[in-house]
Amino acid sequence: GQSLEQPSEVTAVEGAIVQINCTYQTSGFYGLSWYQQHDGGAPTFLSYNGLDGLEETGRFSSFLSRSDSYGYLLLQELQMKDSASYFCAVILNTGGFKTIFGAGTRLFVKA
Amino acid sequence: GAVVSQHPSWVICKSGTSVKIECRSLDFQATTMFWYRQFPKQSLMLMATSNEGSKATYEQGVEKDKFLINHASLTLSTLTVTSAHPEDSSFYICSAVREGRGNSPLHFGNGTRLTVT
């Protein structure tokens, strides 16, 4: 089966840097994505890694190591509005594409 | 660009009735759409992959006769919850990906909160 592991909860202060790790065990791995979801809202896309290495998009960066089945999302210069749930999501290609989500990490940003 | 509209945003229905949820890609064509279900403070569980012009592919454990999916055009997929029961109460979210873009990024609708009484 497919499994993704990420921490359930992280707390950090405004202005700090936080890293949310994700490990996965899947078959048909194609890439790793990250999504943000505020309570009651829809998930929004943050970042995608199809190849090993670091992808940077503003305050957010994401990393992938295929050999280690591991990735992380790095959030810099944290702001209160970053308080949300963050999901790592593996894209699988098993004759067709689909995306499976991890359980999510709730990030609490304190003043 | 890449707007996905989902309707209705919330619905309350009586046990035994059916509810239809629509998902439209407004400014792009989506050969494939995905239906997810989310319980409070939990992950998004993939229910099925909806393919334009063909039968949907359901994930293991999802009853295809209960959750009917139709993808009649490149911009519209519908999910019908048939004979709804209180345990079907949940947040249902559709997503779509632009044609030819693999599976990233997924563009999500705003979700439908279904309450079955």
mmCIF file of all heavy atoms in Angstrom, chain B residues 3-25:
data_model
loop_
_atom_site.group_PDB
_atom_site.id
_atom_site.type_symbol
_atom_site.label_atom_id
_atom_site.label_comp_id
_atom_site.label_asym_id
_atom_site.label_seq_id
_atom_site.Cartn_x
_atom_site.Cartn_y
_atom_site.Cartn_z
ATOM 1 N N VAL B 3 -9.310 28.226 -12.428
ATOM 2 C CA VAL B 3 -10.353 28.311 -11.413
ATOM 3 C C VAL B 3 -11.264 27.100 -11.524
ATOM 4 O O VAL B 3 -11.706 26.726 -12.609
ATOM 5 C CB VAL B 3 -11.184 29.599 -11.585
ATOM 6 C CG1 VAL B 3 -12.314 29.640 -10.569
ATOM 7 C CG2 VAL B 3 -10.298 30.829 -11.451
ATOM 8 N N VAL B 4 -11.525 26.506 -10.363
ATOM 9 C CA VAL B 4 -12.447 25.376 -10.292
ATOM 10 C C VAL B 4 -13.621 25.786 -9.414
ATOM 11 O O VAL B 4 -13.431 26.250 -8.278
ATOM 12 C CB VAL B 4 -11.755 24.127 -9.721
ATOM 13 C CG1 VAL B 4 -12.759 22.997 -9.528
ATOM 14 C CG2 VAL B 4 -10.634 23.688 -10.647
ATOM 15 N N SER B 5 -14.795 25.634 -9.951
ATOM 16 C CA SER B 5 -16.012 26.009 -9.232
ATOM 17 C C SER B 5 -16.753 24.750 -8.791
ATOM 18 O O SER B 5 -16.978 23.844 -9.600
ATOM 19 C CB SER B 5 -16.896 26.865 -10.142
ATOM 20 O OG SER B 5 -18.158 27.096 -9.544
ATOM 21 N N GLN B 6 -17.149 24.715 -7.544
ATOM 22 C CA GLN B 6 -17.872 23.567 -7.019
ATOM 23 C C GLN B 6 -19.178 24.053 -6.425
ATOM 24 O O GLN B 6 -19.235 25.061 -5.727
ATOM 25 C CB GLN B 6 -17.024 22.870 -5.959
ATOM 26 C CG GLN B 6 -17.613 21.546 -5.476
ATOM 27 C CD GLN B 6 -16.660 20.785 -4.559
ATOM 28 O OE1 GLN B 6 -15.446 20.998 -4.592
ATOM 29 N NE2 GLN B 6 -17.199 19.910 -3.748
ATOM 30 N N HIS B 7 -20.231 23.308 -6.727
ATOM 31 C CA HIS B 7 -21.561 23.733 -6.300
ATOM 32 C C HIS B 7 -22.423 22.541 -5.934
ATOM 33 O O HIS B 7 -22.370 21.519 -6.625
ATOM 34 C CB HIS B 7 -22.226 24.511 -7.444
ATOM 35 C CG HIS B 7 -23.617 24.948 -7.136
ATOM 36 N ND1 HIS B 7 -23.903 26.072 -6.406
ATOM 37 C CD2 HIS B 7 -24.810 24.394 -7.444
ATOM 38 C CE1 HIS B 7 -25.203 26.207 -6.282
ATOM 39 N NE2 HIS B 7 -25.783 25.213 -6.917
ATOM 40 N N PRO B 8 -23.171 22.555 -4.845
ATOM 41 C CA PRO B 8 -23.297 23.679 -3.911
ATOM 42 C C PRO B 8 -22.162 23.696 -2.897
ATOM 43 O O PRO B 8 -21.411 22.740 -2.791
ATOM 44 C CB PRO B 8 -24.631 23.368 -3.213
ATOM 45 C CG PRO B 8 -24.679 21.872 -3.191
ATOM 46 C CD PRO B 8 -24.041 21.435 -4.492
ATOM 47 N N SER B 9 -22.038 24.769 -2.146
ATOM 48 C CA SER B 9 -20.991 24.851 -1.138
ATOM 49 C C SER B 9 -21.415 24.121 0.137
ATOM 50 O O SER B 9 -20.575 23.671 0.908
ATOM 51 C CB SER B 9 -20.656 26.310 -0.816
ATOM 52 O OG SER B 9 -21.827 27.007 -0.446
ATOM 53 N N TRP B 10 -22.713 24.029 0.341
ATOM 54 C CA TRP B 10 -23.190 23.226 1.454
ATOM 55 C C TRP B 10 -24.593 22.730 1.124
ATOM 56 O O TRP B 10 -25.323 23.356 0.360
ATOM 57 C CB TRP B 10 -23.179 24.008 2.766
ATOM 58 C CG TRP B 10 -24.056 25.212 2.767
ATOM 59 C CD1 TRP B 10 -23.718 26.476 2.404
ATOM 60 C CD2 TRP B 10 -25.451 25.260 3.143
ATOM 61 N NE1 TRP B 10 -24.802 27.315 2.517
ATOM 62 C CE2 TRP B 10 -25.876 26.607 2.972
ATOM 63 C CE3 TRP B 10 -26.367 24.323 3.601
ATOM 64 C CZ2 TRP B 10 -27.181 27.012 3.252
ATOM 65 C CZ3 TRP B 10 -27.666 24.724 3.882
ATOM 66 C CH2 TRP B 10 -28.046 26.053 3.696
ATOM 67 N N VAL B 11 -24.926 21.584 1.685
ATOM 68 C CA VAL B 11 -26.248 21.019 1.448
ATOM 69 C C VAL B 11 -26.639 20.156 2.636
ATOM 70 O O VAL B 11 -25.796 19.452 3.202
ATOM 71 C CB VAL B 11 -26.280 20.215 0.126
ATOM 72 C CG1 VAL B 11 -25.262 19.086 0.134
ATOM 73 C CG2 VAL B 11 -27.671 19.665 -0.166
ATOM 74 N N ILE B 12 -27.893 20.268 3.011
ATOM 75 C CA ILE B 12 -28.468 19.428 4.057
ATOM 76 C C ILE B 12 -29.559 18.595 3.410
ATOM 77 O O ILE B 12 -30.425 19.137 2.713
ATOM 78 C CB ILE B 12 -29.059 20.279 5.193
ATOM 79 C CG1 ILE B 12 -27.979 21.161 5.814
ATOM 80 C CG2 ILE B 12 -29.681 19.371 6.263
ATOM 81 C CD1 ILE B 12 -28.506 22.174 6.816
ATOM 82 N N CYS B 13 -29.502 17.302 3.601
ATOM 83 C CA CYS B 13 -30.538 16.461 2.998
ATOM 84 C C CYS B 13 -30.989 15.399 3.994
ATOM 85 O O CYS B 13 -30.315 15.145 5.002
ATOM 86 C CB CYS B 13 -30.011 15.791 1.726
ATOM 87 S SG CYS B 13 -28.787 14.514 2.012
ATOM 88 N N LYS B 14 -32.123 14.820 3.692
ATOM 89 C CA LYS B 14 -32.661 13.783 4.577
ATOM 90 C C LYS B 14 -32.108 12.423 4.185
ATOM 91 O O LYS B 14 -31.787 12.170 3.020
ATOM 92 C CB LYS B 14 -34.183 13.777 4.505
ATOM 93 C CG LYS B 14 -34.811 15.040 5.067
ATOM 94 C CD LYS B 14 -36.300 14.880 5.270
ATOM 95 C CE LYS B 14 -36.863 16.104 5.986
ATOM 96 N NZ LYS B 14 -38.291 15.971 6.291
ATOM 97 N N SER B 15 -32.006 11.581 5.152
ATOM 98 C CA SER B 15 -31.517 10.228 4.937
ATOM 99 C C SER B 15 -32.357 9.538 3.867
ATOM 100 O O SER B 15 -33.582 9.643 3.865
ATOM 101 C CB SER B 15 -31.591 9.453 6.253
ATOM 102 O OG SER B 15 -30.898 8.252 6.172
ATOM 103 N N GLY B 16 -31.704 8.886 2.925
ATOM 104 C CA GLY B 16 -32.399 8.171 1.870
ATOM 105 C C GLY B 16 -32.502 8.935 0.563
ATOM 106 O O GLY B 16 -32.822 8.343 -0.475
ATOM 107 N N THR B 17 -32.236 10.218 0.608
ATOM 108 C CA THR B 17 -32.301 11.015 -0.623
ATOM 109 C C THR B 17 -30.930 11.041 -1.293
ATOM 110 O O THR B 17 -29.925 10.599 -0.735
ATOM 111 C CB THR B 17 -32.758 12.444 -0.328
ATOM 112 O OG1 THR B 17 -31.828 13.073 0.554
ATOM 113 C CG2 THR B 17 -34.142 12.449 0.323
ATOM 114 N N SER B 18 -30.914 11.575 -2.518
ATOM 115 C CA SER B 18 -29.667 11.669 -3.278
ATOM 116 C C SER B 18 -29.263 13.121 -3.448
ATOM 117 O O SER B 18 -30.117 14.008 -3.507
ATOM 118 C CB SER B 18 -29.828 11.016 -4.653
ATOM 119 O OG SER B 18 -30.060 9.639 -4.518
ATOM 120 N N VAL B 19 -28.002 13.344 -3.521
ATOM 121 C CA VAL B 19 -27.465 14.701 -3.646
ATOM 122 C C VAL B 19 -26.448 14.723 -4.773
ATOM 123 O O VAL B 19 -25.581 13.852 -4.845
ATOM 124 C CB VAL B 19 -26.774 15.142 -2.340
ATOM 125 C CG1 VAL B 19 -26.066 16.462 -2.520
ATOM 126 C CG2 VAL B 19 -27.786 15.214 -1.210
ATOM 127 N N LYS B 20 -26.551 15.735 -5.634
ATOM 128 C CA LYS B 20 -25.599 15.879 -6.744
ATOM 129 C C LYS B 20 -24.708 17.084 -6.491
ATOM 130 O O LYS B 20 -25.178 18.174 -6.170
ATOM 131 C CB LYS B 20 -26.312 16.050 -8.064
ATOM 132 C CG LYS B 20 -25.362 16.216 -9.251
ATOM 133 C CD LYS B 20 -26.074 16.529 -10.549
ATOM 134 C CE LYS B 20 -26.639 15.304 -11.183
ATOM 135 N NZ LYS B 20 -27.146 15.572 -12.562
ATOM 136 N N ILE B 21 -23.412 16.874 -6.675
ATOM 137 C CA ILE B 21 -22.422 17.933 -6.511
ATOM 138 C C ILE B 21 -21.736 18.143 -7.859
ATOM 139 O O ILE B 21 -21.313 17.177 -8.495
ATOM 140 C CB ILE B 21 -21.379 17.567 -5.445
ATOM 141 C CG1 ILE B 21 -22.064 17.278 -4.105
ATOM 142 C CG2 ILE B 21 -20.339 18.668 -5.292
ATOM 143 C CD1 ILE B 21 -21.140 16.649 -3.063
ATOM 144 N N GLU B 22 -21.633 19.395 -8.270
ATOM 145 C CA GLU B 22 -21.010 19.705 -9.560
ATOM 146 C C GLU B 22 -19.635 20.315 -9.382
ATOM 147 O O GLU B 22 -19.398 21.098 -8.459
ATOM 148 C CB GLU B 22 -21.883 20.709 -10.332
ATOM 149 C CG GLU B 22 -23.185 20.137 -10.839
ATOM 150 C CD GLU B 22 -23.885 21.114 -11.776
ATOM 151 O OE1 GLU B 22 -23.467 22.284 -11.865
ATOM 152 O OE2 GLU B 22 -24.869 20.689 -12.418
ATOM 153 N N CYS B 23 -18.761 19.981 -10.290
ATOM 154 C CA CYS B 23 -17.406 20.527 -10.293
ATOM 155 C C CYS B 23 -17.085 20.983 -11.710
ATOM 156 O O CYS B 23 -17.136 20.178 -12.645
ATOM 157 C CB CYS B 23 -16.428 19.443 -9.839
ATOM 158 S SG CYS B 23 -14.707 19.960 -9.805
ATOM 159 N N ARG B 24 -16.787 22.259 -11.841
ATOM 160 C CA ARG B 24 -16.503 22.816 -13.167
ATOM 161 C C ARG B 24 -15.137 23.500 -13.198
ATOM 162 O O ARG B 24 -14.796 24.242 -12.278
ATOM 163 C CB ARG B 24 -17.547 23.878 -13.544
ATOM 164 C CG ARG B 24 -18.947 23.362 -13.746
ATOM 165 C CD ARG B 24 -19.908 24.483 -14.100
ATOM 166 N NE ARG B 24 -21.279 23.981 -14.176
ATOM 167 C CZ ARG B 24 -21.817 23.468 -15.272
ATOM 168 N NH1 ARG B 24 -21.110 23.408 -16.383
ATOM 169 N NH2 ARG B 24 -23.059 23.048 -15.251
ATOM 170 N N SER B 25 -14.389 23.239 -14.249
ATOM 171 C CA SER B 25 -13.174 24.009 -14.493
ATOM 172 C C SER B 25 -13.595 25.180 -15.375
ATOM 173 O O SER B 25 -14.123 24.980 -16.472
ATOM 174 C CB SER B 25 -12.110 23.151 -15.167
ATOM 175 O OG SER B 25 -12.590 22.576 -16.363
#
